[in-house]
Amino acid sequence: MSSVPERSEIDEEYKWALESLYADVEAWEDAYEDAEELIEVVASYEGEATADAETLLSVLDDYEQLMRAVSNVSSFARMRRDEDTRDDDAQAMATRAQSLSARASSAASFLEPEIQSLDREEVEALIEAQPELEEYEHYFDDVLRMKPHTRSTEVESLLADLGEVMGAPGEVYDMLTNADMTFPTVEDPDGEAVEITLNNFTTLQQRHDREFREDVYEAFYDEWDTVHNAVSTAYKNTVKTGSKLATARNYDTAREASLHGPNIPVEVYDTLIETVRDNLDPLHRHAELKREHTDGDDLQMWDLYVPLTETESPDIEYEQACEYVVEALAPLGEDYQSRVAEGLESRWVDVYETRGKQAGAYSGGTYDSQPFILLNYQDDVESMYTLAHELGHSLHSEYTSENQPYVYSSYEIFVAEVASTVNEALLTRHLLATVEDDHLRRHVLNQYLERFRSTLFRQTMFAEFEHRAHEMSEAGEPLTPDRLNDLYRELKSDYYEPAEVDDRIAREWLRIPHFYRSFYVFQYSTGISAAVALARAIDEEGDEAAERYRAFLASGSSDYPLELLRTAGVDMSESSPIEDAIAEYDDNLDRMADLL
């Protein structure tokens, strides 16, 4: 029987080095206590933050120390929990860290309203009186921009206190799906029992035996049906929370509130959906290629992940994947490439799936720590691409932390997904240009097409789903399980027109964790569109474009996302990058059709 190992069975070299952040839980407890003391220090400034330039600088310095401490404490606790979501002690640490973060936000909730009590001329006078405030100039601009949507200190404190509670639906969903749900075991064509998990479902759907794919598909989605009401309730309350919070901050809709934070016009969201809707023909063509490639005359939902290759993915062991990725990133410059190589040797990555481990993948870490990457590596081409993707996030953080003060050390998801997807594009170009193994080349091209399909088209479909779900809720229409299923089925039918849409796939939305971060997924689609444009420029222009790109990575949040991307060379307020990306996808469909 194919089984998932316990964490204790994995060699240390394949586990992330959390001890580089805190040596042990005792050190974490000490840091937790220090952070609690800093909360009191920051709270003491309330009512006096803008009394004079020196006081403003002092509170900003102390606020930075507090948030850096909270970030370190929270990051460590989260990663400990994600190692094994069944671990009660680790769950308790994560819960305490969430509470600490909420208390810190509450204690500092006076700061921005007090800054907003000033006009721009008064802020400029403070900067002139204390030149060290100059580095906060963009921060002040951003804070003043939010003035119409910031409430009184009392209300802001209350909203900050409620932050922990408002995130409860997503936390319940995570615990339900990662710790409590157990998926069935199915028999493969060789008679071996295979356990379905959240991490291996997509891999199993890529098997070439059609009957096995159908068995996996039915067993997987039948299990989701057993938690249908619970997950629907969690999602309904996530939608309501976003809408209520938007109203509290004087926004018309939750989408407007979500996009206003990073200063992304809602027109960018609408342009994405309209442009993709107008260009579904290549996606339908991809689906037709899959129909022709399957054993049946029709295309079923369990056929959507089947690769356009004769055999299953070649085994790509983790070490080989690392080698390919490092080589592929050479066009970004020696500095970038050497940082990646060193990080892979320094245990940035928690590599393999283990029992209870958080599903999926992410890049984490803090301003004061090395990057940390959670993977659930499956020894296949897809996992290699996931590694390249997360390393893009990690290097973005590295460059930002080294080149920006803490106030600009974060960056919006809108630009983050560009950094990760450029790596994927470069990996594809490198492998198609250098690998002589036709078997691997076909799988690389297939992987490119699949990741494009699932990133641009699928995530746009998700974006349309959550936008329409929020519209329904905000119009007073109840988000019942059946209504959400109907909405999802309708979208699936439009986007995957050549395929048969059944009742089980109408429940697919239940398994999408990103829906608990409302209006998040559209940025995968804009990200891949921008990344294709930037990778093409790096390929055509060489060092000049690579230097421009590295400068973009080093910018953090020192400007607004659309402006940062314009500096890098792409304008995401227009439809052309999306159209150009789809055209490249269509060209690669031609290449695959020729191979077939």
Side-chain angles (χ1 to χ4, degrees):
M1 175 176 175
S2 176
S3 61
V4 178
E6 294 289 344
R7 187 170 184 82
S8 59
E9 300 175 58
I10 302 296
D11 291 342
E12 288 299 309
E13 64 181 300
Y14 300 114
K15 299 176 184 177
W16 50 21
L18 288 193
E19 65 275 9
S20 66
L21 185 51
Y22 294 116
D24 50 35
V25 174
E26 273 189 24
W28 179 85
E29 291 284 2
D30 291 341
Y32 189 98
E33 291 178 8
D34 291 342
E36 288 188 308
E37 293 177 4
L38 284 168
I39 289 176
E40 300 303 319
V41 171
V42 170
S44 69
Y45 288 98
E46 184 171 354
E48 304 292 333
T50 60
D52 53 55
E54 287 70 25
T55 302
L56 180 56
L57 180 62
S58 180
V59 67
L60 288 171
D61 285 345
D62 287 335
Y63 175 67
E64 173 182 327
Q65 295 306 312
L66 169 61
M67 299 316 294
R68 287 170 70 168
V70 169
S71 176
N72 290 333
V73 165
S74 298
S75 183
F76 184 85
R78 176 195 178 190
M79 290 187 287
R80 278 291 307 274
R81 180 199 64 193
D82 290 350
E83 289 177 350
D84 188 347
T85 57
R86 305 167 301 173
D87 185 330
D88 288 343
D89 291 338
Q91 284 190 35
M93 287 176 65
T95 300
R96 290 174 60 202
Q98 289 170 351
S99 176
L100 179 74
S101 180
R103 284 186 285 132
S105 296
S106 178
S109 60
F110 67 88
L111 179 56
E112 293 188 359
E114 291 190 28
I115 293 173
Q116 288 165 347
S117 69
L118 307 174
D119 57 33
R120 291 185 183 273
E121 290 74 18
E122 290 172 315
V123 169
E124 288 170 6
L126 289 171
I127 294 174
E128 185 175 351
Q130 175 48 268
E132 289 184 48
L133 289 172
E134 284 183 10
E135 75 174 18
Y136 290 94
E137 196 158 2
H138 175 66
Y139 166 75
F140 291 143
D141 181 73
D142 200 27
V143 170
L144 294 177
R145 180 179 67 87
M146 301 297 288
K147 188 172 184 175
H149 305 285
T150 304
R151 303 294 299 274
S152 67
T153 298
E154 181 181 7
V155 173
E156 287 296 328
S157 179
L158 175 61
L159 292 174
D161 281 340
L162 289 173
E164 192 176 359
V165 177
M166 290 188 288
E171 188 176 357
V172 169
Y173 176 85
D174 283 344
M175 287 298 102
L176 176 68
T177 56
N178 287 289
D180 292 342
M181 287 184 72
T182 302
F183 293 93
T185 295
V186 295
E187 188 174 290
D188 72 7
D190 297 325
E192 183 180 0
V194 178
E195 180 184 1
I196 304 172
T197 69
L198 287 174
N199 289 303
N200 73 8
F201 170 70
T202 300
T203 302
L204 296 178
Q205 288 287 276
Q206 294 168 4
R207 296 277 189 95
H208 281 273
D209 188 284
R210 198 178 192 212
E211 185 176 346
F212 175 71
R213 291 200 308 272
E214 182 178 2
D215 289 344
V216 170
Y217 172 86
E218 292 180 351
F220 183 75
Y221 282 111
D222 285 349
E223 189 63 30
W224 281 103
D225 194 37
T226 67
V227 295
H228 197 174
N229 290 317
V231 175
S232 296
T233 300
Y235 182 60
K236 174 187 69 177
N237 282 287
T238 290
V239 171
K240 284 187 173 181
T241 296
S243 297
K244 296 290 186 184
L245 189 58
T247 299
R249 294 195 180 281
N250 303 317
Y251 291 101
D252 292 333
T253 66
R255 185 178 71 150
E256 181 190 354
S258 180
L259 271 62
H260 189 245
N263 203 20
I264 305 295
V266 293
E267 290 77 16
V268 171
Y269 198 105
D270 292 334
T271 295
L272 169 69
I273 292 176
E274 290 166 9
T275 305
V276 170
R277 278 281 192 171
D278 290 342
N279 290 275
L280 288 175
D281 285 347
L283 178 62
H284 296 165
R285 180 184 173 206
H286 194 178
E288 283 291 346
L289 286 175
K290 287 177 179 285
R291 184 188 61 77
E292 295 169 9
H293 193 65
T294 60
D295 298 333
D297 295 328
D298 55 0
L299 183 72
Q300 297 290 341
M301 287 294 111
W302 52 87
D303 298 324
L304 288 183
Y305 288 97
V306 68
L308 294 173
T309 52
E310 298 82 2
T311 60
E312 295 173 10
S313 171
D315 285 343
I316 306 289
E317 293 185 356
Y318 177 67
E319 285 77 10
Q320 179 64 73
C322 292
E323 183 177 332
Y324 281 140
V325 170
V326 171
E327 291 172 353
L329 299 177
L332 296 181
E334 183 179 349
D335 180 70
Y336 188 103
Q337 189 181 34
S338 63
R339 286 170 183 261
V340 170
E342 183 179 348
L344 292 171
E345 292 292 327
S346 303
R347 292 175 54 207
W348 285 5
V349 187
D350 203 80
V351 180
Y352 294 113
E353 179 181 11
T354 52
R355 288 194 175 276
K357 186 176 177 180
Q358 173 70 35
Y362 65 73
S363 172
T366 72
Y367 188 71
D368 299 304
S369 79
Q370 67 173 52
F372 296 98
I373 296 174
L374 180 137
L375 292 183
N376 284 276
Y377 196 83
Q378 300 286 325
D379 283 348
D380 55 18
V381 171
E382 182 176 4
S383 292
M384 174 174 63
Y385 271 81
T386 300
L387 173 63
H389 180 104
E390 300 305 337
L391 282 166
H393 289 310
S394 295
L395 268 292
H396 194 177
S397 297
E398 280 274 281
Y399 275 102
T400 291
S401 295
E402 290 185 11
N403 290 278
Q404 295 296 330
Y406 178 78
V407 67
Y408 305 130
S409 63
S410 61
Y411 42 80
E412 299 292 346
I413 299 299
F414 195 85
V415 295
E417 292 308 325
V418 175
S420 56
T421 314
V422 162
N423 278 14
E424 293 184 32
L426 293 175
L427 179 60
T428 299
R429 291 168 183 266
H430 169 73
L431 293 174
L432 291 178
T434 62
V435 170
E436 297 180 0
D437 181 353
D438 286 342
H439 180 211
L440 178 55
R441 287 171 56 82
R442 284 194 295 272
H443 276 276
V444 166
L445 185 55
N446 179 77
Q447 183 66 207
Y448 168 87
L449 294 172
E450 282 300 292
R451 293 184 84 86
F452 198 101
R453 174 188 70 81
S454 62
T455 302
L456 194 143
F457 291 104
R458 190 166 186 255
Q459 300 298 331
T460 301
M461 181 183 71
F462 289 166
E464 190 170 354
F465 170 81
E466 63 177 334
H467 176 40
R468 290 176 60 179
H470 278 78
E471 284 186 321
M472 289 161 52
S473 178
E474 288 164 350
E477 185 174 345
L479 294 184
T480 64
D482 288 344
R483 184 66 191 92
L484 289 167
N485 283 358
D486 290 344
L487 171 59
Y488 195 83
R489 182 187 290 106
E490 175 191 339
L491 292 170
K492 198 78 175 182
S493 298
D494 290 345
Y495 279 75
Y496 291 91
E497 187 178 272
E500 299 290 331
V501 176
D502 58 58
D503 289 341
R504 287 186 175 90
I505 202 61
R507 299 193 290 267
E508 184 180 36
W509 67 271
L510 295 168
R511 75 179 187 94
I512 310 303
H514 290 331
F515 286 156
Y516 295 86
R517 297 180 63 182
S518 296
F519 304 107
Y520 169 92
V521 296
F522 88 99
Q523 295 164 114
Y524 286 114
S525 303
T526 55
I528 193 172
S529 301
V532 167
L534 292 172
R536 186 188 302 117
I538 291 166
D539 188 44
E540 294 173 355
E541 300 175 31
D543 291 343
E544 183 178 346
E547 183 177 357
R548 194 166 62 235
Y549 176 69
R550 291 194 304 273
F552 157 75
L553 295 180
S555 298
S557 57
S558 60
D559 206 341
Y560 296 114
L562 287 178
E563 292 305 317
L564 290 173
L565 284 173
R566 288 188 182 108
T567 302
V570 61
D571 189 348
M572 289 309 300
S573 67
E574 300 178 351
S575 63
S576 53
I578 304 166
E579 293 167 340
D580 291 346
I582 294 175
E584 182 169 311
Y585 167 71
D586 202 26
D587 289 343
N588 279 298
L589 281 172
D590 286 339
R591 297 175 69 179
M592 179 59 86
D594 289 343
L595 287 174
L596 292 174

